[in-house]
Amino acid sequence: MRDFHYINAIMAKNLLDIQNIRVGIGEKTVLDGLDLQIGEGETHVLMGPNGAGKSTLGNVIMGNPVYALQGGKILFDGQDVTDWSADKRAKAGLFMSFQAPLEVPGISLETFIRSALQQKTGERVKLFAFQKELKAAMALLNMNESYAGRDLNVGFSGGERKKSEILQLLMLKPKLAILDETDSGLDVDAVRTVSKGIEEFQKTQNGSLLIITHSTKILESLNVTKAHILAKGRILKTGGAELVADINQNGFDKYLAE
């Protein structure tokens, strides 16, 4: 009985527990026997060469039906979500920002976030409090308030689209956020602003993060718990912030040769 409770206590520490998953796209196996655990309040960095399957992993965690799970389990917040739809996972507290956020004509950024909040909580959003919080978050991200009334991402620059994603992150307050190359295509100032938003999420909401990136600039102000190298369909190496520094300086070659 003591062993049973001990195992449960260890498992309870993991907000996300990916167990031996195998993922294919068409006839190609992209992920093969991959394991990953992320605890509450932890920030994990996922790095690897192009085509290694980093974005695939993010989409699989979110339940994108395009990516077929051929084996293994995904546990989130103590529940087996392997067969859950993407919207059900989002309501449970999963969030993903994309490399290229889509335009959504006909629905404003503010309306989109308010609707997403209502679907997540199942409660009516109090408009005054919501708008006050929205303005504060937009100010933090140096976003002009007029963007709240504009159609979601329509006519937004690349930097404004990425800020829009981080704005959604701050407003929706997920338990785990997957940020898929949120820093790609951004200039130095935009990266600094986006990093500030992510840092705010990390500090004030104690949310967990899985940051998929090729760059280390977005990580400079963040407390990295663990870094992982994904290649050959699995996690080849796990370490701390020092692993990020090593990859930044020396690349992936020595790890791919192991």
Side-chain angles (χ1 to χ4, degrees), residues 67-86:
Y67 300 85
L69 190 64
Q70 300 169 339
K73 286 186 177 182
I74 300 175
L75 306 179
F76 179 68
D77 201 16
Q79 294 182 287
D80 186 344
V81 302
T82 308
D83 298 320
W84 286 18
S85 62

Side-chain angles (χ1 to χ4, degrees), residues 175-191:
K175 296 175 183 176
L176 170 64
I178 304 162
L179 307 182
D180 189 3
E181 298 196 27
T182 301
D183 52 345
S184 65
L186 299 183
D187 60 29
V188 174
D189 290 336
V191 168

Side-chain angles (χ1 to χ4, degrees), residues 76-149:
F76 179 68
D77 201 16
Q79 294 182 287
D80 186 344
V81 302
T82 308
D83 298 320
W84 286 18
S85 62
D87 64 320
K88 190 173 180 180
R89 296 187 196 199
K91 289 178 182 178
L94 278 166
F95 172 93
M96 184 172 180
S97 72
F98 299 94
Q99 293 182 39
L102 297 175
E103 294 184 356
V104 184
I107 181 170
S108 70
L109 174 59
E110 178 180 345
T111 300
F112 177 82
I113 295 175
R114 191 168 72 243
S115 176
L117 265 175
Q118 288 181 168
Q119 290 184 40
K120 179 187 174 185
T121 62
E123 299 176 358
R124 188 182 183 88
V125 173
K126 296 179 180 179
L127 188 58
F128 178 77
F130 167 79
Q131 290 182 332
K132 182 179 179 181
E133 185 177 355
L134 183 68
K135 287 180 180 180
M138 294 184 80
L140 178 74
L141 296 172
N142 293 326
M143 289 185 74
N144 190 302
E145 289 182 14
S146 66
Y147 278 84

Side-chain angles (χ1 to χ4, degrees), residues 235-256:
I235 302 293
L236 294 183
K237 181 76 174 180
T238 294
E242 76 284 348
L243 182 58
V244 176
D246 182 54
I247 294 168
N248 192 39
Q249 183 174 357
N250 302 308
F252 299 106
D253 287 349
K254 71 177 182 180
Y255 299 105
L256 298 179

